[in-house]
Structure formats: structure tokens, C-alpha cells
Amino acid sequence: QVQLVESGGGLEQTGGSLRLSCAASGIIFRLNAMGWYRQTPAKQRELVATITSGGTTTYADSVKGRFTISRDNAKNTVYLQMNSLKPEDTGVYFCNAKVGRWQNDYWGQGTQVTVSS
């Protein structure tokens, strides 16, 4: 079983920065792509950013140029550096990892990010 533990959420003002971390633990034979998704009451869970084990990244258009995803493969940890935060970035951010040959999905418990105007 794989566990994902997120940290780093909180309350920030518009224009500020936050850094999210997500550490994977447990029986991990092969940790493939990792990513961050966010969910608000008005929207379904949406992709924010992903990164492959080789470091290839993808971003939602709404965060390009402001957010940076990175990972430390030795620590099985993925990070999301969020700069120039906007109120519309508010939501619960979930970490995702695809593990093993069959790309099994695992999710963290979520961390709240609130950006005040």
C-alpha cells in the first residue's frame, strides 16, 4: 500500500507564495508520474500540474508561469511552488501518484489553500 502525505497549505494574500510538499511512502516498486490537482465546491477536481519520473512537466493554462512542479526521486517527494497567487487558486489541493506497472492511482488526503483578495 502507498501513502501520500501532503503539507504546506494555508492562508496567503493575493500575490503571495506557498509551497506544497507530498511525500510517498509504503511499498513502492515503481513511482511513475506524480501531480497536483485541486478541487473547489464549484468545480470538479482539476489538474494543476504533473511531472514524470524523468522530469517532464505539464501545467494547467491557469497556472503556467506562476507555479512550478518538481520532484526528488530519492525522497519520493513532489513539490508545488506557487507564486503570484490569486483568489481563484483557492481550493483543496490533492497529491496524486501513479505507481507500478499498471499505473495504479493513489491520492493524498488534500491540503487547503486559501488566497485572500
Side-chain angles (χ1 to χ4, degrees), residues 21-80:
S21 299
C22 171
S25 63
I27 303 174
I28 304 174
F29 294 115
R30 180 178 173 180
L31 189 58
N32 300 312
M34 300 185 75
W36 291 94
Y37 293 71
R38 68 184 174 201
Q39 189 165 9
T40 66
K43 292 183 179 180
Q44 293 182 337
R45 193 172 297 188
E46 61 178 358
L47 181 147
V48 175
T50 64
I51 184 167
T52 68
S53 57
T56 300
T57 58
T58 60
Y59 295 93
D61 287 342
S62 60
V63 307
K64 283 180 181 177
R66 300 187 298 120
F67 290 10
T68 302
I69 189 170
S70 61
R71 66 189 284 171
D72 184 334
N73 289 331
K75 296 181 179 179
N76 290 333
T77 299
V78 64
Y79 307 95
L80 185 67

Side-chain angles (χ1 to χ4, degrees), residues 8-22:
L11 174 65
E12 185 56 77
Q13 294 182 337
T14 296
S17 298
L18 286 172
R19 188 188 193 214
L20 306 182
S21 299
C22 171

